[in-house]
């Protein structure tokens, strides 16, 4: 029991990792724990739109686990260029340590799900990636492009970085977003 309590208290640190997107109708930036919770619910809601049948319990678990490495690395905006290999190596070291707090079998299961998400080779991982990439876009569309404007993000950057994983994991979601991104460009929210 103590191992599980130690794990849960350690991951509480994810609430302190600030992201670049603000919570709707607030001046406060969201944290990575809130992001993980919200994308798990987004994916669950989008289940009927998955390209292939997916095990939603695996998708939700991946989404709840995928950002735990940010406890030590912090959050990096998805549009950042360069440094991803080093960052992912640091995240892997972090999640290995944190999942190592759990009883061995459970820790290994969580690490396998984290690695599956990172590899993106399964239908579940691709669907999880679609939800992960879409949520900041949805918040930006609802916040008049807040983090795009604050960080000088260009329309083509958004299309290049989030288009392929959303299109691959949930084409219906990409169909929904593509036109809205074009409208956001016209609004001046994207460079």
């Amino acid at each position: 029991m103590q191992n599980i309590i130690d794990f849960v208290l350690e991951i509480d640190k994810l609430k302190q990792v600030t992201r670049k997107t603000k919570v709707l109708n607030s001046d406060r930036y969201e944290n990575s724990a809130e992001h993980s919770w919200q994308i798990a619910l987004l994916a669950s809601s989008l289940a009927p739109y998955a390209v292939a049948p997916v095990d939603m319990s695996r998708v939700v678990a991946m989404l709840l686990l995928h950002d735990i490495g940010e406890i030590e690395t912090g959050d990096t905006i998805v549009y950042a260029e360069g440094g991803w290999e080093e960052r992912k190596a640091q995240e892997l070291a972090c999640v290995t340590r944190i999942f190592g707090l759990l009883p061995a079998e459970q820790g290994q299961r969580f690490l396998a799900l984290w690695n599956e998400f990172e590899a993106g080779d399964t239908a579940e991982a691709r669907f999880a990636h679609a939800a992960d990439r879409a949520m900041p876009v949805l918040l930006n569309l609802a916040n008049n492009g807040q983090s795009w404007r604050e960080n000088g993000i260009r329309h083509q950057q958004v299309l290049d970085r989030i288009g392929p994983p959303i299109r691959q994991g949930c084409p219906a979601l990409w169909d929904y977003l593509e036109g809205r991104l074009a409208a956001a460009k016209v609004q001046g929210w994207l460079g």
Side-chain angles (χ1 to χ4, degrees):
M1 183 63 71
Q2 188 61 52
N3 299 48
I4 294 168
I5 302 306
D6 291 344
F7 167 74
V8 169
L9 293 175
E10 181 68 13
I11 64 168
D12 191 72
K13 294 175 182 175
L14 198 58
K15 296 175 187 175
Q16 298 173 27
V17 177
T18 303
R19 295 175 52 84
K20 304 290 187 224
T21 306
K22 290 183 179 175
V23 175
L24 290 181
N25 304 312
S26 174
D27 288 334
R28 182 178 69 79
Y29 290 89
E30 72 175 339
N31 65 53
S32 287
E34 292 169 320
H35 167 72
S36 295
W37 158 80
Q38 193 169 34
I39 60 176
L41 286 173
L42 174 63
S44 295
S45 302
L46 289 171
Y49 296 97
V51 173
V54 293
D55 178 343
M56 283 308 299
S57 67
R58 292 178 61 77
V59 170
V60 168
M62 281 183 221
L63 292 171
L64 293 174
L65 297 169
H66 85 288
D67 277 338
I68 287 178
E70 293 181 0
I71 287 172
E72 293 180 3
T73 65
D75 180 62
T76 301
I77 194 165
V78 70
Y79 309 109
E81 296 177 11
W84 286 103
E85 286 181 24
E86 180 180 276
R87 177 179 164 66
K88 290 301 177 183
Q90 292 170 341
E91 286 185 7
L92 175 58
C94 177
V95 297
T96 300
R97 177 187 67 76
I98 293 173
F99 297 155
L101 296 171
L102 290 164
E105 185 178 318
Q106 190 172 14
Q108 291 167 0
R109 186 171 62 85
F110 282 4
L111 184 58
L113 285 165
W114 188 89
N115 282 316
E116 181 180 345
F117 177 85
E118 289 299 314
D121 293 334
T122 64
E124 286 80 8
R126 288 187 293 273
F127 190 68
H129 273 278
D132 183 41
R133 294 293 184 251
M135 198 63 240
V137 173
L138 293 169
L139 287 172
N140 269 297
L141 291 169
N143 275 339
N144 300 321
Q146 167 263 315
S147 78
W148 295 329
R149 290 182 292 110
E150 288 178 5
N151 294 285
I153 304 302
R154 297 178 321 279
H155 182 253
Q156 195 60 48
Q157 278 179 285
V158 175
L159 296 181
D160 292 346
R161 186 71 169 125
I162 62 114
I166 296 174
R167 191 179 305 113
Q168 188 178 30
C170 189
L173 179 57
W174 180 247
D175 291 344
Y176 174 85
L177 291 173
E178 196 170 24
R180 283 158 182 80
L181 288 168
K185 182 180 180 184
V186 170
Q187 291 282 353
W189 300 346
L190 290 157

